[in-house]
Amino acid sequence: MPEKKKPQPDPKIKSIIINQLKKGVIFEVGNEEHALIAQRAGARAIMPIADSADSIKRMPDPKLIKAIYDTVAIPTIGRVRVGHIIEAQIMEKAGASIIDESEMYGTGSKRIKLCIDKTKLYGPSFFTAFNMGEVAKAIRTGASAIRITAEDPSGSNGNAVQIVQIHNKILKEIKAMQELINKKKALNPNDAEYKTKLEEVDSEIDGLVEDDYKKEKDFMIKLGAAGKITIPVFASNFVATPADVALVMQHGFDGVFITEEVFENHMSPLKYANALVHAVAKYNDPVALAQISEDLGRNAYGGGGKRKRRRRKRRPAAADDDK
């Protein structure tokens, strides 16, 4: 018998899967019970997270991915370290249909320049972005969507307003590029000073491209030509209440990630998770949002902007070497 051909990554299928997550909530979960609660609440996907005894977070135990994959019917996301293609391959084999290449799963304050070639992954992937250069890098390396988070690589705490500010900053950078592209198009080739003016505009465009993003220049120009972020954008971390959800959705986000504190720190995790899911659908309806927000008790972060983690027993971790 002839050998069966391995399925190849299909950009169209990746796009379909990501689009199914839009206008929805993705919950981080620590076990199968959390996953079931998230599914009952209406989650579009769930993302198992790893326990870590040090500052370097690694991929979750493949056994946990398999167990959750067998427990729920919604997609499972495997979070991996930036540039760690082996972790991504393991997560896909364990049952993750989506990969999250997370900047927070790097090495503390050091930014990692090496990224996974996500075009080679079978499923779609997320990439964390903090500026236009990172968005361009996400697109160049094959990401299907980006996450914007208020918790940057320096480890500072944040809130939903800061997520919106970072999003606005990226859009402002794209607009600045768009203005230069339009300025360049408006130049008259018959003008005696055309060549000089063209060089001046090109120099201004180069000025918007930081040294770390020289490889991304063409993709940054494409973003400027489009005048927008051209792949779906999700808000992540410190989106803790229905009001937070509505805030980011009103500012153009396509969906939200919610951390596991919903399940660990709240007395009624199903009720709270359900309220967050409903807030996505009703983000432009203040009357509905007021009703959704009633009788929820303290929020998942204990009423403040800073997260409160409850220590859990460490599960046996899958062996994976630092690269």
Side-chain angles (χ1 to χ4, degrees):
M1 290 180 65
E3 187 178 343
K4 290 184 179 179
K5 291 184 178 180
K6 292 183 179 180
Q8 297 299 309
D10 188 331
K12 291 182 179 179
I13 293 177
K14 291 182 181 183
S15 180
I16 290 171
I17 294 171
I18 285 294
N19 284 335
Q20 290 174 345
L21 305 184
K22 291 169 70 172
K23 306 300 181 186
V25 179
I26 298 165
F27 286 95
E28 292 182 2
V29 300
N31 52 48
E32 297 97 311
E33 181 185 356
H34 293 173
L36 283 170
I37 293 171
Q39 181 172 258
R40 285 183 62 194
R44 295 289 177 87
I46 48 93
M47 182 162 66
I49 62 170
D51 286 328
S52 180
D54 54 30
S55 60
I56 300 176
K57 297 179 180 179
R58 296 169 174 84
M59 68 176 187
D61 189 332
K63 188 175 181 180
L64 176 62
I65 296 289
K66 290 176 182 177
I68 290 176
Y69 176 83
D70 291 337
T71 301
V72 298
I74 55 180
T76 301
I77 301 173
R79 177 174 280 182
V80 304
R81 284 174 284 174
V82 172
H84 210 315
I85 182 62
I86 304 302
E87 285 190 348
Q89 291 170 347
I90 291 171
M91 288 291 95
E92 287 197 323
K93 290 297 183 182
S97 52
I98 303 166
I99 295 298
D100 174 45
E101 186 182 14
S102 177
E103 180 67 37
M104 290 178 290
Y105 271 37
T107 54
S109 61
K110 294 182 180 179
R111 293 193 53 85
I112 297 177
K113 295 181 180 179
L114 177 66
C115 294
I116 295 170
D117 181 356
K118 292 169 281 294
T119 62
K120 295 181 179 179
L121 298 176
Y122 292 110
S125 55
F126 285 92
F127 188 79
T128 308
F130 299 95
N131 55 41
M132 179 172 63
E134 290 295 310
V135 174
K137 183 191 290 185
I139 296 170
R140 178 180 67 80
T141 58
S144 304
I146 63 168
R147 293 193 302 115
I148 296 177
T149 173
E151 188 177 47
D152 63 29
S154 67
S156 63
N157 292 318
N159 59 52
V161 174
Q162 286 177 283
I163 295 173
V164 171
Q165 289 176 333
I166 294 169
H167 185 237
N168 289 344
K169 175 178 174 288
I170 294 172
L171 293 178
K172 186 176 180 180
E173 291 169 350
I174 291 174
K175 184 177 180 182
M177 180 66 78
Q178 184 181 45
E179 288 174 351
L180 290 177
I181 291 171
N182 291 337
K183 183 178 178 180
K184 186 175 180 178
K185 287 180 179 178
L187 294 176
N188 183 359
N190 297 320
D191 189 335
E193 298 182 355
Y194 173 74
K195 187 175 180 180
T196 301
K197 291 179 179 179
L198 183 64
E199 289 176 351
E200 289 176 353
V201 176
D202 284 338
S203 178
E204 289 183 81
I205 289 174
D206 288 340
L208 294 181
V209 182
E210 297 177 21
D211 290 342
D212 287 343
Y213 302 115
K214 296 301 182 184
K215 288 183 179 179
E216 279 67 58
K217 179 180 176 180
D218 289 345
F219 293 89
M220 293 171 78
I221 289 173
K222 288 179 181 179
L223 286 169
K228 62 180 182 180
I229 301 172
T230 53
I231 56 178
V233 185
F234 288 70
S236 174
N237 276 28
F238 301 101
V239 180
T241 68
D244 290 343
V245 170
L247 177 71
V248 296
M249 295 301 293
Q250 284 189 15
H251 280 83
F253 284 80
D254 293 296
V256 298
F257 281 76
I258 303 295
T259 61
E260 66 166 338
E261 277 78 5
V262 168
F263 307 104
E264 293 197 338
N265 294 350
H266 203 277
M267 296 298 292
S268 303
L270 177 59
K271 180 179 179 180
Y272 202 93
N274 190 257
L276 295 172
V277 170
H278 278 85
V280 172
K282 300 292 184 181
Y283 71 88
N284 262 331
D285 186 342
V287 174
L289 289 170
Q291 293 173 341
I292 291 167
S293 301
E294 289 179 355
D295 298 322
L296 290 180
R298 65 183 178 87
N299 72 48
Y301 298 146
K306 190 173 182 179
R307 293 191 292 177
K308 295 183 180 180
R309 277 191 177 274
R310 188 174 67 195
R311 290 184 65 85
R312 293 182 290 143
K313 291 182 180 179
R314 191 182 178 196
R315 300 186 192 88
D320 61 303
D321 297 329
D322 290 340
K323 297 279 179 155

